[in-house]
Amino acid sequence: MLVRPNALRRCIGNLIDNARRHGSHVWLTGVVVADGIDILVDDDGPGIRLADRDRVFRAFIRLDPSRNPSTGGIGLGLTIARDVARSHGGEVTLETSPQGGLRARVHLPH
């Protein structure tokens, strides 16, 4: 599978950073699927409500109402992650993790 390594590193790094910020533990898994690979980033944090999962991909959206940069980023990590995945023909989706928090799924087709 041909990828742009620096871009993909940033995509996965952003997702891991978010998981670390909101959870106590992070699990990273690669799964071969029929049309490519899925990279799963799971955490045991509070997750994101189903109603907010599409909205958090918009630039500068943070669910933390304080908007205090010391409590997190500026709201670009998920936007960048999705843009990188899409530039590879893939997608980033958010799901409920079996670990109790959030699962970010990066699907990359071959």
Side-chain angles (χ1 to χ4, degrees):
M1 175 179 299
L2 292 176
V3 298
R4 291 187 328 280
N6 290 337
L8 192 57
R9 186 177 301 114
R10 183 153 188 206
C11 171
I12 302 303
N14 285 353
L15 298 174
I16 291 171
D17 287 347
N18 282 348
R20 287 178 54 212
R21 184 178 299 119
H22 298 289
S24 300
H25 298 90
V26 177
W27 294 263
L28 186 62
T29 310
V31 180
V32 176
V33 294
D35 65 337
I37 187 169
D38 284 0
I39 301 166
L40 311 176
V41 181
D42 288 292
D43 68 55
D44 59 355
I48 296 176
R49 293 177 344 157
L50 187 59
D52 290 327
R53 289 184 187 168
D54 284 331
R55 187 170 71 92
V56 295
F57 285 105
R58 294 197 317 240
F60 306 110
I61 295 296
R62 291 189 59 219
L63 297 180
D64 174 13
S66 74
R67 296 284 199 201
N68 182 347
S70 69
T71 63
I74 60 171
L76 289 176
L78 289 173
T79 304
I80 291 167
R82 181 172 263 181
D83 286 348
V84 168
R86 287 180 172 176
S87 76
H88 285 85
E91 186 59 87
V92 175
T93 55
L94 301 177
E95 308 166 9
T96 300
S97 171
Q99 306 300 332
L102 188 69
R103 168 175 281 175
R105 179 184 301 267
V106 180
H107 175 73
L108 299 171
H110 48 129

